[in-house]
Amino acid sequence: MAQVTLAVDAMGGDAGLPVTVPAVAQLLQQDATVEVLMVGQPVPLAAALRDAGLAQHARVRVVPASDIVTMDDPVAVALRNKKDSSMRVAVNQLRDGQAQAVVSAGNTGALMAVSRFVLKTLPGIERPAICTAIPTRTGHCHMLDLGANVDSEAEHLLQFALMGAAVVRALDRIEAPRVALLNIGEEDIKGNDLIKQAAKLLQEHPALNYCGFIEGKGIFDGEADVVVCDGFVGNVALKTMEGTATMIGHMLRTEISSSWLKKVSGLLALPVLRGLKKRMDPERYNGASLLGLNGIVVKSHGGAGVSGFLAALEVAVREADRNVPALIGATLVNKSDGTA
Amino acid sequence: MAQVTLAVDAMGGDAGLPVTVPAVAQLLQQDATVEVLMVGQPVPLAAALRDAGLAQHARVRVVPASDIVTMDDPVAVALRNKKDSSMRVAVNQLRDGQAQAVVSAGNTGALMAVSRFVLKTLPGIERPAICTAIPTRTGHCHMLDLGANVDSEAEHLLQFALMGAAVVRALDRIEAPRVALLNIGEEDIKGNDLIKQAAKLLQEHPALNYCGFIEGKGIFDGEADVVVCDGFVGNVALKTMEGTATMIGHMLRTEISSSWLKKVSGLLALPVLRGLKKRMDPERYNGASLLGLNGIVVKSHGGAGVSGFLAALEVAVREADRNVPALIGATLVNKSDGTA
């Protein structure tokens, strides 16, 4: 494994330092080669590193940044008024070759805008996209776009497909990832105009293993490695998954507390329920990639805990190790002759 | 309760008669006033009614129809080549004043096209929409459109909002239903152009209690009585809910069978798991309304069982009892002076 240096926005997310620092401590412990630039306000950051026993760590370096992008900051504020934010300075480290990947739990819109402004997009990419792994019955798939773009055109969906396929080839070592377009199943309409046009482009592209349409319920069946959609639709789908899982958890608790018999039965079922909770744990799948940029930027959920932020750090390390942006670039350059 | 007559497409759905006939038998037993026109092929239908003890039932009448619209029939085939299908003849009964509502488990696209062709839309409605109740933590909300329309315009979303609000007023007896627009939460974009335009229309409409945007995960929080979206997005969201719930059920079974301890623990937890299954049961929420037509048409899931089809029949009875199309019509007529 090549030497990887991560630039971590230490202040980002709902919690900031209490989450980012312990997660970095765990990463350093489990990965003997990774180096970390901790970007943030020097005083509280130094204190947090000291508390975590990282003050003198050989593979940790502090990069000072005076400001913080809050979760509610409008994009324009993050971009124009907070040029010394931990988020911006972390992305600058990547641009300047000091790090191979950035991880931030800061607000998505700001992170995308700052990354796009500082790093620029890869040649051939008009719009970066947000991509994450989604659990399926047989393992996982990658889905994009999850909210970076609305009102996508067919050509953008094609670019998302190529980027998603490159990620799966790199991370999952699947040579010809099965790419599906998210669509609806009603017979009379079979999708909107966008989907019909995109289907044609994906079908005809020589470098894609296009396997057709997939419905919302098919995402979890393991029949596709890459699920492509517009960011509006993808974001609604992702949030609906979260909402449904939360709702079922709520139903389970209501059910257990509904009678004495069920309270006892629920206690006896604890090993099963704990196991289920672990399987459903969104922290395991935390870490969405901002694809299509000149560099690796991984977004952690703002509310992620230590294990979730660690998962996002691991995504960044894997993508850096396999140089995902270069693979995406190669796919795009070669798309016309089908040799990607 | 007023006298209601339902026209039931007895042949529709994956199973047809083995589901529709027992469900009708249950409805007749629990509701002493409802009458049913069973529409279908006379020979098998008569046999099924005889088996269910309904052959001589005073409140059941057979209406013959020689053909069946299959689940895979293209809309054009259902509309042009199958004019004597059980679906079409059932809708004809409604048009001719023989019934106050139609229930079919046949294919959605065909049912929408046939209903629209035979019944026409209400004045002021350009596009009918599919609407169903979705469980929330506090009860349920109604969501539309779920797939009748793609590429909706802002004015259509306004019509969906008015129709959804009328349904909730009628069925849930809520005077000023809270109406929300399904949107994504990213700061930088806050929705596509469609959503921005629609938000303005809903905000300004005097007859609507518009409460703003809702995210995919917020659907289940009980903060809105009506959730409005384009049919493409709504269909993806609905199918994603189904997929997530199925996936969690699968995880639970995998978890229980993962060790002897968990198998025993799972057995002991049976009362809780059965209760959860019942709460999650999609059959309870079966029965989607095709709104905006000159008449009540309720679509059952094609794969629904007897209890699911019964739930759809009950939706039809409630809508007929409260004359939902008239309420929708009144809302639209009065929309300019805000007295709806």
Side-chain angles (χ1 to χ4, degrees):
Chain A
M1 188 178 275
Q3 173 68 54
V4 171
T5 303
L6 299 184
V8 175
D9 170 8
M11 319 301 285
D14 296 343
L17 295 168
V19 161
T20 58
V21 171
V24 164
Q26 280 196 41
L27 179 73
L28 291 164
Q29 201 156 31
Q30 71 190 36
D31 183 330
T33 62
V34 69
E35 299 193 353
V36 180
L37 307 180
M38 290 297 273
V39 187
Q41 294 174 317
V43 176
L45 178 52
L49 289 173
R50 202 169 46 239
D51 290 350
L54 298 180
Q56 307 293 330
H57 198 288
R59 289 181 284 130
V60 176
R61 193 155 57 83
V62 168
V63 179
S66 60
D67 220 338
I68 297 175
V69 173
T70 70
M71 296 310 274
D72 302 321
D73 271 339
V75 168
V77 168
L79 205 52
R80 289 184 215 135
N81 306 355
K82 296 196 167 178
K83 293 187 182 167
D84 198 42
S85 70
S86 54
M87 180 190 282
R88 176 75 165 261
V89 173
V91 178
N92 288 345
Q93 297 301 306
L94 182 54
R95 176 199 60 197
D96 298 341
Q98 302 299 308
Q100 285 81 55
V102 171
V103 181
S104 173
N107 98 53
T108 313
L111 182 61
M112 179 56 97
V114 165
S115 301
R116 203 173 164 165
F117 180 79
V118 172
L119 302 173
K120 314 299 178 203
T121 54
L122 288 165
I125 295 290
E126 287 167 58
R127 298 178 171 199
I130 301 173
C131 178
T132 195
I134 305 273
T136 67
R137 281 182 211 201
T138 54
H140 64 265
C141 65
H142 279 79
M143 186 162 161
L144 75 168
D145 172 37
L146 297 174
N149 306 277
V150 294
D151 298 322
S152 307
E153 292 163 23
E155 178 69 31
H156 302 139
L157 296 189
L158 173 62
Q159 291 174 12
F160 301 165
L162 291 165
M163 294 197 291
V167 165
V168 169
R169 262 195 295 271
L171 299 189
D172 299 334
R173 310 284 196 199
I174 296 173
E175 205 38 54
R178 296 158 303 165
V179 178
L181 266 175
L182 187 59
N183 197 359
I184 67 177
E186 298 313 334
E187 183 57 47
D188 59 336
I189 27 184
K190 276 264 165 85
N192 51 22
D193 286 344
L194 171 68
I195 292 298
K196 288 173 193 164
Q197 290 167 30
K200 200 162 173 296
L201 292 182
L202 268 68
Q203 180 73 59
E204 287 168 357
H205 198 288
L208 284 178
N209 177 16
Y210 175 61
C211 63
F213 296 134
I214 200 165
E215 279 193 271
K217 61 186 166 191
I219 298 170
F220 311 95
D221 289 345
E223 283 164 18
D225 302 305
V226 181
V227 176
V228 175
C229 55
D230 168 60
F232 190 93
V233 174
N235 192 276
V236 167
L238 186 75
K239 299 276 171 72
T240 303
M241 287 174 209
E242 278 182 53
T244 307
T246 305
M247 168 88 177
I248 291 173
H250 176 82
M251 282 176 170
L252 191 56
R253 283 189 298 278
T254 311
E255 186 59 34
I256 287 175
S257 60
S258 67
S259 74
W260 279 106
L261 173 64
K262 286 183 175 170
K263 272 181 194 158
V264 172
S265 155
L267 272 176
L268 294 169
L270 267 184
V272 166
L273 298 180
R274 282 204 187 112
L276 178 66
K277 200 175 168 189
K278 204 172 152 196
R279 279 175 199 267
M280 284 172 58
D281 185 6
E283 301 255 308
R284 289 176 73 194
Y285 283 88
N286 188 39
S289 311
L290 273 48
L291 298 181
L293 300 162
N294 272 310
I296 296 161
V297 181
V298 173
K299 154 80 178 127
S300 162
H301 197 292
V306 173
S307 68
F309 197 76
L310 177 61
L313 294 170
E314 290 167 343
V315 169
V317 171
R318 273 202 305 279
E319 291 195 8
D321 185 49
R322 291 164 200 185
N323 202 351
V324 166
L327 292 170
I328 291 177
T331 307
L332 291 165
V333 168
N334 293 332
K335 73 175 178 175
S336 53
D337 60 8
T339 56
Chain B
M1 188 177 273
Q3 173 67 54
V4 171
T5 303
L6 299 184
V8 175
D9 170 5
M11 318 303 284
D14 296 342
L17 295 168
V19 162
T20 59
V21 172
V24 164
Q26 280 196 41
L27 179 72
L28 291 164
Q29 201 155 33
Q30 72 189 37
D31 183 330
T33 63
V34 70
E35 298 193 352
V36 181
L37 307 180
M38 289 297 273
V39 187
Q41 294 173 318
V43 177
L45 178 51
L49 290 173
R50 204 169 43 238
D51 291 350
L54 298 180
Q56 308 293 329
H57 199 288
R59 289 181 282 128
V60 176
R61 193 154 58 82
V62 168
V63 178
S66 60
D67 220 339
I68 298 175
V69 173
T70 69
M71 298 310 275
D72 302 320
D73 271 339
V75 168
V77 168
L79 205 52
R80 289 183 217 136
N81 306 355
K82 296 198 167 177
K83 292 187 182 166
D84 199 43
S85 70
S86 54
M87 180 190 281
R88 175 75 166 262
V89 173
V91 177
N92 288 346
Q93 298 301 306
L94 181 55
R95 178 200 59 196
D96 298 341
Q98 301 298 308
Q100 284 81 55
V102 171
V103 181
S104 174
N107 97 52
T108 314
L111 183 62
M112 179 56 97
V114 165
S115 302
R116 202 171 164 167
F117 179 78
V118 172
L119 302 173
K120 313 301 178 203
T121 53
L122 288 165
I125 295 291
E126 288 166 60
R127 298 180 171 199
I130 302 173
C131 177
T132 196
I134 306 271
T136 67
R137 280 181 214 203
T138 54
H140 64 265
C141 65
H142 279 79
M143 185 162 163
L144 75 169
D145 173 37
L146 298 174
N149 306 277
V150 293
D151 298 323
S152 307
E153 293 162 24
E155 177 68 31
H156 302 139
L157 296 190
L158 173 62
Q159 292 174 10
F160 301 165
L162 290 165
M163 295 197 290
V167 165
V168 170
R169 263 196 296 271
L171 300 189
D172 299 335
R173 309 285 196 197
I174 296 172
E175 205 38 55
R178 298 158 302 165
V179 178
L181 266 176
L182 187 59
N183 197 0
I184 66 176
E186 297 314 333
E187 184 58 45
D188 58 336
I189 26 183
K190 275 263 165 89
N192 51 23
D193 286 344
L194 171 68
I195 292 298
K196 288 173 192 164
Q197 290 167 29
K200 199 161 173 294
L201 292 183
L202 269 68
Q203 179 74 57
E204 288 168 357
H205 198 287
L208 283 178
N209 177 16
Y210 175 61
C211 63
F213 295 133
I214 200 165
E215 279 192 271
K217 63 186 165 192
I219 298 170
F220 311 94
D221 288 345
E223 284 164 17
D225 302 304
V226 180
V227 176
V228 174
C229 55
D230 169 60
F232 189 93
V233 174
N235 192 276
V236 166
L238 186 75
K239 299 276 170 70
T240 304
M241 287 174 209
E242 277 182 53
T244 307
T246 306
M247 167 89 176
I248 291 173
H250 176 83
M251 283 175 169
L252 190 57
R253 284 189 297 278
T254 311
E255 185 60 33
I256 287 175
S257 60
S258 67
S259 73
W260 279 106
L261 173 64
K262 286 182 177 172
K263 273 181 196 159
V264 173
S265 156
L267 271 178
L268 295 168
L270 267 184
V272 165
L273 298 180
R274 282 205 187 114
L276 178 66
K277 199 174 169 190
K278 204 172 152 194
R279 278 176 201 268
M280 283 172 60
D281 185 7
E283 301 254 306
R284 289 177 73 196
Y285 283 88
N286 188 39
S289 311
L290 274 48
L291 298 180
L293 300 163
N294 272 310
I296 296 161
V297 181
V298 173
K299 154 80 179 130
S300 162
H301 197 292
V306 172
S307 68
F309 197 77
L310 177 62
L313 294 170
E314 290 167 343
V315 169
V317 170
R318 274 202 304 280
E319 290 195 8
D321 185 50
R322 292 164 199 182
N323 202 350
V324 166
L327 292 170
I328 291 176
T331 307
L332 292 165
V333 167
N334 293 333
K335 73 175 181 177
S336 53
D337 61 7
T339 57

